[in-house]
Amino acid sequence: MNVIPPRQGLDGGFVDRLRDLLSDRVADSMALREQHSHGEGVADAGLPDLVVFAERNEEVAAVLELCSRFNVPVVPFGAGSSVEGQVAAIRGGISLDLTGMNAILDVSAESLDCRVQAGVTREQLNHELRAQGLFFTVDPGADATIGGMAATRASGTNAVRYGTMRENVLGLTVVTPDGRIIRTGGRARKSSAGLDLTRLYVGSEGTLGIITEIQLRLQGLPEAVVAATCQFDQFEDAVGTVSAALQSGLRVARIELIDEVQMKACIGYSKLTGFAEKPTLFMEFHGSPNGVSEDLSNMEELALSFGAQDFLKAERPEARTRLWTARHNAYHATKWLCPGKNNMGTDACVPISEFAACIMETKEDILKSGMVAPIVGHVGDGNFHLGIMHDPADAEETARADELAARVSERAIRFGGTCSGEHGIGLHKMRFMEAEHGEALDVMRAIKAALDPLGIMNPGKMLPQGKGV
Amino acid sequence: MNVIPPRQGLDGGFVDRLRDLLSDRVADSMALREQHSHGEGVADAGLPDLVVFAERNEEVAAVLELCSRFNVPVVPFGAGSSVEGQVAAIRGGISLDLTGMNAILDVSAESLDCRVQAGVTREQLNHELRAQGLFFTVDPGADATIGGMAATRASGTNAVRYGTMRENVLGLTVVTPDGRIIRTGGRARKSSAGLDLTRLYVGSEGTLGIITEIQLRLQGLPEAVVAATCQFDQFEDAVGTVSAALQSGLRVARIELIDEVQMKACIGYSKLTGFAEKPTLFMEFHGSPNGVSEDLSNMEELALSFGAQDFLKAERPEARTRLWTARHNAYHATKWLCPGKNNMGTDACVPISEFAACIMETKEDILKSGMVAPIVGHVGDGNFHLGIMHDPADAEETARADELAARVSERAIRFGGTCSGEHGIGLHKMRFMEAEHGEALDVMRAIKAALDPLGIMNPGKMLPQGKGV
């Protein structure tokens, strides 16, 4: 390995002590540093001085205590699948890789919960749970680590029915910047005992401490699962169907809207035969056989009343897998559609009552911009994504992509929503925090200052600096 | 009115300025001060120097700014139905009564949400919503204010299906101790944009700021609602039925366990004819007619397999109302059962897998103690309540009641649960916070110090002082 000396400023004594703690699990190869310098998407990179692999809570604590002592920035790293620049080490320091903490510590089928280390991935967990008839519901698409999903308050296709990480994390083990190991929440389904630290750390993007263990709520595998699709000539009819379904309280486990541009990409990339390049809904229903069949027929009736063509059911597992694999590969499909271009992803979420107006205005904006920007969305929550295709070597096009993305964020806030439904803030969305939160930002800053007084935890992320700071 | 001069120490300048702001909405009558000195149950009282009635966000802000300037304690006050001493002004100062802020600001049937002022009560809100086919699900029994329910992270019978205040508050307006008006969260169903301040203030019991407005998630009134009851010879069979129902994922909107002592009280007080003095389950099922009928027959089969006697359905509204009224009046029924005695209520919540063992050990403890202490519980969440009957004039009996209550809290923590499922901490449960949270308490204290540096917000509550503080 090509050994790069620590950058100027990283104290030699710090590095020596770190190696005393973790010996060869302190890496300074450029390959590892580069790999840990960025997430997915077009996030800026920031090269860490060192990559450190921790395997136990006590090691994380010792590392953080050391970083506090030497004032060294720490950026937690999992699967590296975040998309807003969360893992870039923009001020150097160490990238703390938690993928070695990948043990499933405890599963209780009786309490429908489990405890896992932060580096366990979503697919690893679900593979383990399946044999016990259980599953963990939050599915952001990527095979992210549970620690990363907690840190970014991840969500995904199942959230409309089962909630996001906010609802599905019962408790945490967190290492504070000064190296204390604390436990938040617990295994009880509810508690009124003190401040809700669990929800404070969920979504804190590594800015307050390092999440090392997560107590998760689980669900029993549903007795019956049926997927369904329907296509529309008009985008607004697909949107109308979703709005009406939500307002009528129709029970759906997933409801995804895929516009005609994204469908073209999916059909081509995922060989999704039998579909037209039209706005499409992918849905899934969970429950008892009777319940699912009732939900399906209600949904079919509703979709047809909005002009849907052929409401198709996919009951066999392989038919469902084909649909959801195509959905999960939507990102790769856009790159197939526009060879040589990058996909600048952005997501937003608005109140259901504003969803139709907001997404139609967005659609019009895309058309006016002349960009290729497929829309997909977990629309059951009022959440949608744009993948704005652009040539990263073309500064003008990249700037236009960025402006379009910015308008999506600003529009969502204007419609009473949020600039990020599920990707988090990282670096890229800090500029919208003021518009979305106003003076509440000062409260967030006060909490940050109280819990990370040295400012070593993922510095420069999530919270824009205040005036005069 | 009998005007009591402000206690020594409450600055005359402060009182003058307060009257300038609110004129006759600053009260110092002993009757009002006494009424605002305590909640329900056996909570300690603490007499506020003044009772202040605010009607607008800006007034609350001005009052808090003044209290900060003069270092005067502030205790928010709603319906006064909290049971752990939350509203006692133990260090004097002002009781800030928010019941005049009782406007329902906005209801959206499309987004299934609403925004209300803190003084709106649960029943007031549901009365208003009914005409639109909507309801707000959180039902702690008492006709509490929504602000108080948010502040104590209230819960209740419907939580097993619809969640607690934690899941049903989308956003807040909060006035900070220095008099800034901030908004947290929003109307989007989910967001990953920054620290989750909403969940931080929910359950903070007035120790960080004053909640003045609440954005709530609503539900459509279910198409079909059927209640059901069944009785058991053995307490453990009732418990076993609940555990099995939860583990099998059976959909139930409410499932309440009422032991034979509480049933005796309910039968007598609420004229609940047709029931025996035996352990009983009260249940309710919400959904489509077919779905509810499927749920009912699954539940019936399960209950009968545990030896339940006659599984009775209550379909007509008046039959359901009779059951739930009796359940809501459980507290009053215990006072009827033990004339002259007080009910020391305590609640705890444990993981579902530990529920049977924990509640059976508790039952045995009650028998050994020789006290009358009926058990009722929102057992779908692993949450149960004891009402420990005691003569407040009998110091020895009161001490024994307190010891029994303490053992319930300690036992719940030992079983991996929490000392408070839904009542909060207030004064009475501060002594269990260390055992439940360990070093995480220091993080709570750091947040408290950061957001309320003068310590004027409901001082002396929820967070026990740290060592050396």
Side-chain angles (χ1 to χ4, degrees), chain A residues 251 288 290-295 297-298, chain B residues 223-224 226 251 285-298:
Chain A
R251 284 170 307 183
S288 69
N290 289 338
V292 164
S293 126
E294 188 175 8
D295 295 337
S297 71
N298 287 336
Chain B
E223 212 186 330
V226 179
R251 283 169 306 183
F285 300 86
H286 295 176
S288 68
N290 288 337
V292 164
S293 127
E294 189 175 10
D295 296 338
L296 272 165
S297 71
N298 287 336

Side-chain angles (χ1 to χ4, degrees), chain A residues 139-188:
Chain A
D139 175 5
D143 189 21
T145 62
I146 303 297
M149 288 169 64
T152 52
R153 204 180 294 128
S155 171
T157 52
N158 287 312
V160 60
R161 166 104 182 218
Y162 301 104
T164 72
M165 289 302 276
R166 185 174 72 194
E167 287 79 24
N168 286 286
V169 174
L170 291 166
L172 297 169
T173 298
V174 174
V175 180
T176 63
D178 56 355
R180 282 171 299 159
I181 300 168
I182 64 163
R183 285 178 76 133
T184 75
R187 292 186 62 208

Side-chain angles (χ1 to χ4, degrees), chain A residues 105-435:
Chain A
L105 302 171
D106 195 32
V107 176
S108 168
E110 282 187 312
S111 282
L112 292 172
D113 68 356
C114 70
R115 192 167 189 89
V116 302
Q117 286 186 313
V120 167
T121 72
R122 182 179 65 77
E123 289 180 7
Q124 175 195 352
L125 177 60
N126 273 324
H127 182 80
E128 180 85 12
L129 293 174
R130 205 168 298 134
Q132 299 187 57
L134 302 172
F135 80 121
F136 170 60
T137 59
V138 185
D139 175 5
D143 189 21
T145 62
I146 303 297
M149 288 169 64
T152 52
R153 204 180 294 128
S155 171
T157 52
N158 287 312
V160 60
R161 166 104 182 218
Y162 301 104
T164 72
M165 289 302 276
R166 185 174 72 194
E167 287 79 24
N168 286 286
V169 174
L170 291 166
L172 297 169
T173 298
V174 174
V175 180
T176 63
D178 56 355
R180 282 171 299 159
I181 300 168
I182 64 163
R183 285 178 76 133
T184 75
R187 292 186 62 208
R189 290 273 178 102
K190 63 186 195 186
S191 171
S192 291
L195 299 179
D196 189 348
L197 297 183
T198 302
R199 251 51 59 179
L200 184 66
Y201 286 109
V202 168
S204 64
E205 302 190 4
T207 64
L208 302 180
I210 307 262
I211 295 170
T212 59
E213 293 174 10
I214 306 100
Q215 190 84 31
L216 294 171
R217 206 170 163 161
L218 304 175
Q219 300 286 333
L221 284 169
E223 212 186 330
V225 177
V226 179
T229 56
C230 58
Q231 299 203 290
F232 297 82
D233 278 328
Q234 301 298 325
F235 188 70
E236 52 261 58
D237 290 334
V239 171
T241 302
V242 172
S243 295
L246 294 171
Q247 285 155 21
S248 71
L250 211 148
R251 284 170 307 183
V252 57
R254 305 179 178 192
I255 184 163
E256 299 282 308
L257 172 64
I258 300 163
D259 80 349
E260 65 285 1
V261 187
Q262 182 67 55
M263 276 307 287
K264 181 177 178 180
C266 287
I267 291 166
Y269 179 80
S270 295
K271 314 281 176 270
L272 210 54
T273 51
F275 286 90
E277 293 173 9
K278 289 181 176 179
T280 306
L281 294 179
F282 280 22
M283 294 157 280
E284 196 166 90
F285 300 86
H286 295 177
S288 69
N290 289 338
V292 164
S293 126
E294 188 175 8
D295 295 337
L296 271 165
S297 71
N298 287 336
M299 190 69 207
E300 179 168 11
E301 192 183 325
L302 187 68
L304 296 179
S305 78
F306 275 90
Q309 293 122 20
D310 40 58
F311 187 91
L312 299 174
K313 292 164 203 167
E315 306 200 32
R316 286 174 306 121
E318 52 274 36
R320 285 191 277 116
T321 301
R322 172 171 168 262
L323 284 177
W324 294 115
T325 304
R327 171 64 190 88
H328 274 165
N329 287 332
Y331 174 82
H332 302 293
T334 59
K335 295 195 140 195
W336 170 89
L337 184 70
C338 303
K341 297 221 173 185
N342 274 4
N343 177 326
M344 184 186 290
T346 192
D347 92 296
C349 188
V350 295
I352 306 301
S353 56
E354 312 302 317
F355 179 67
C358 182
I359 204 163
M360 292 311 298
E361 196 178 304
T362 303
K363 192 82 184 159
E364 214 166 291
D365 191 7
I366 297 169
L367 289 176
K368 264 194 220 154
S369 75
M371 313 282 291
V372 176
I375 294 179
V376 294
H378 315 314
V379 288
D381 300 306
N383 182 206
F384 62 95
H385 297 227
L386 259 64
I388 309 172
M389 307 313 293
H390 64 287
D391 177 355
D394 180 340
E396 187 272 337
E397 191 176 67
T398 304
R400 282 198 297 134
D402 196 60
E403 285 158 21
L404 176 58
R407 288 196 299 277
V408 171
S409 296
E410 288 156 2
R411 183 178 301 119
I413 294 168
R414 178 158 49 80
F415 274 99
T418 174
C419 70
S420 179
E422 55 181 27
H423 289 173
I425 297 299
L427 280 172
H428 286 130
K429 289 195 168 166
M430 283 170 58
R431 58 190 156 148
F432 308 111
M433 288 289 277
E434 185 79 42

